[in-house]
């Protein structure tokens, strides 16, 4: 764990610094960089989490079988956890389908591995750095209108992703 706690404003500020801007004082700062960063942050965070089975954001769960019987070919319905961002594995390995926040299956019990969204303060340093480069890559064009900056940050992002 690092000495400095990572926060949304901290990561957006670091991305702004890389772009050549000054860091934020608050997310309600009236500068364009604050608007761009605060609007993109959650989408980029969830996208980066779902792009890889990061071990720090994986949980296992035994699902609760619902009393409702699904229509058509499945016998049982199971409730997925409310913090499930992305289903990774279903056990036992059998045919199933996801409908909204439910899994339909013929299995009498279902366990899953799934991706969840941890607090930004709980992610490891390598992922925080990946977020900074992802933010910088996606913020540089609207803030500076620089295509060269986009390419440079895309390259740094790929190197950090390979490292992570």
């Amino acid at each position: 764990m690092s000495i400095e706690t990572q926060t949304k404003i901290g990561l957006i500020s670091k991305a702004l610094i890389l772009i050549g801007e000054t860091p934020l004082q608050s997310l309600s700062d009236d500068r364009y960089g604050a608007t761009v960063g605060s609007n993109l942050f959650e989408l980029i965070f969830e996208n980066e989490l779902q792009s890889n089975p990061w071990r720090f954001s994986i949980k296992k769960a035994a699902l609760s079988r619902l009393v409702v019987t699904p229509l058509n070919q499945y016998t049982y319905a199971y409730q997925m956890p409310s913090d499930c961002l992305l289903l990774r594995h279903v056990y036992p390995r059998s045919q199933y389908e996801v409908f909204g926040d439910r899994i339909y299956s013929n299995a009498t019990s279902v366990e899953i591995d799934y991706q969840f969204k941890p607090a930004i303060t709980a992610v490891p340093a390598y992922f925080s750095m990946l977020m900074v480069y992802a933010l910088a890559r996606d913020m540089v064009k609207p803030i500076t209108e620089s295509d060269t900056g986009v390419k440079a940050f895309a390259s740094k992002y790929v190197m950090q992703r390979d490292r992570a």
Side-chain angles (χ1 to χ4, degrees), residues 104-151:
Y104 290 176
S105 174
N106 291 324
T108 56
S109 65
V110 170
E111 296 174 350
I112 63 170
D113 294 350
Y114 70 96
Q115 201 105 31
F116 73 100
K117 183 179 177 180
I120 193 65
T121 56
V123 302
Y126 62 84
F127 190 82
S128 292
M129 195 68 222
L130 183 67
M131 278 295 298
V132 169
Y133 284 129
L135 285 162
R137 176 198 63 204
D138 293 346
M139 291 168 58
V140 70
K141 179 69 174 182
I143 293 172
T144 68
E145 298 182 10
S146 168
D147 290 325
T148 307
V150 172
K151 290 177 187 172

Side-chain angles (χ1 to χ4, degrees), residues 4-145:
E4 179 186 351
T5 302
Q6 296 301 327
T7 62
K8 181 176 180 177
I9 191 170
L11 296 180
I12 294 169
S13 289
K14 287 173 181 61
L16 285 169
I17 290 167
L18 290 177
I19 292 169
E21 297 288 318
T22 56
L24 300 178
Q25 297 302 314
S26 78
L27 290 173
S28 59
D29 190 321
D30 65 354
R31 290 183 301 134
Y32 187 58
T35 302
V36 172
S38 62
N39 279 287
L40 291 176
F41 186 87
E42 294 301 325
L43 182 61
I44 291 172
F45 185 38
E46 288 186 16
N47 182 65
E48 291 305 321
L49 286 170
Q50 294 177 38
S51 72
N52 190 57
W54 304 104
R55 300 309 295 170
F56 65 86
S57 68
I58 299 285
K59 287 184 181 178
K60 294 181 172 286
L63 301 186
S64 298
R65 189 164 61 189
L66 302 171
V67 292
V68 64
T69 302
L71 297 175
N72 306 326
Q73 76 265 33
Y74 295 105
T75 310
Y76 305 108
Y78 296 89
Q79 184 66 53
M80 292 201 307
S82 61
D83 65 344
C84 180
L85 277 181
L86 182 64
L87 187 62
R88 288 292 179 179
H89 298 286
V90 175
Y91 307 100
R93 295 193 189 282
S94 61
Q95 187 174 357
Y96 68 90
E97 288 189 56
V98 175
F99 290 91
D101 63 350
R102 296 179 178 175
I103 293 178
Y104 290 176
S105 174
N106 291 324
T108 56
S109 65
V110 170
E111 296 174 350
I112 63 170
D113 294 350
Y114 70 96
Q115 201 105 31
F116 73 100
K117 183 179 177 180
I120 193 65
T121 56
V123 302
Y126 62 84
F127 190 82
S128 292
M129 195 68 222
L130 183 67
M131 278 295 298
V132 169
Y133 284 129
L135 285 162
R137 176 198 63 204
D138 293 346
M139 291 168 58
V140 70
K141 179 69 174 182
I143 293 172
T144 68
E145 298 182 10

